[in-house]
Amino acid sequence: MKELAARYQRIAAARGLVTGPAPLDLTSEVLEELAEWEARRSALSATCGLVGDTRTNTASKSLNHCLWRLEHLARGVAAEVEQNWDQAYQEFREARRQYVESARSGIGVPGSATDDVAWPSAWRPAPRTPRTEA
C-alpha cells in the first residue's frame, strides 16, 4: 500500500497536485507496474481477510478505499465529491494508522505501534506563500 501511495503521489506531483516528490509521468510502463502492484495488494488483502478479525478487515477495506481515492486523484478521475490531494492523503494516513492499530490488536500485540513524535522546528518545511504576479 505504501509503495502504491508513493507512486500515486509522484504521479500527482507530475499533474501539479502536490509538490515534493519526484514527478512521475503516467507512461504505459508505469501503468503496467501499477497494475502489478495492485494485483499484489489485492492478493495480500485477500489473505488478510482470511485470518483477520472483523475490525481489522473493516479497517483494511477503508484503507483500500483511501488508496483508490489517491489513485483517482493522481490519474484525474472525476468523483461525485471534489477533494484535494492533501485532504485525501491525510485520510489515507489515518486509515493506515487505524489498520495497523486494528491488526496489532487482532494478533494480541499490546499498545500502539508508535508514540506521537513531533518534527523538530528546524526540519519542518516553511509554509508556502501564494505567488503574486509582478
Side-chain angles (χ1 to χ4, degrees):
M1 291 238 182
K2 286 180 77 172
E3 289 179 11
L4 281 166
R7 288 292 184 179
Y8 296 145
Q9 189 173 34
R10 290 182 61 198
I11 294 165
R15 295 191 57 240
L17 301 177
V18 66
T19 59
L24 181 65
D25 290 323
L26 202 54
T27 64
S28 59
E29 292 83 14
V30 169
L31 285 171
E32 181 65 31
E33 185 179 76
L34 290 172
E36 289 172 13
W37 286 359
E38 175 59 24
R40 179 168 166 74
R41 185 221 47 81
S42 179
L44 291 171
S45 183
T47 301
C48 176
L50 293 173
V51 297
D53 60 18
T54 302
R55 184 173 167 226
T56 300
N57 290 335
T58 301
S60 175
K61 286 186 181 295
S62 293
L63 181 56
N64 286 333
H65 293 170
C66 288
L67 181 67
W68 294 329
R69 182 62 186 136
L70 292 179
E71 177 189 13
H72 291 165
L73 283 168
R75 295 179 68 175
V77 176
E80 290 181 19
V81 176
E82 286 302 312
Q83 186 176 34
N84 69 39
W85 177 268
D86 291 338
Q87 179 185 5
Y89 195 77
Q90 283 305 111
E91 288 177 8
F92 167 78
R93 288 181 54 141
E94 177 58 21
R96 184 175 175 279
R97 187 196 64 72
Q98 288 178 6
Y99 170 73
V100 168
E101 180 182 299
S102 297
R104 288 172 53 89
S105 175
I107 60 173
V109 177
S112 63
T114 62
D115 289 328
D116 287 337
V117 177
W119 276 49
S121 297
W123 295 1
R124 270 188 234 130
R128 289 187 258 168
T129 58
R131 293 170 56 170
T132 58
E133 297 298 318

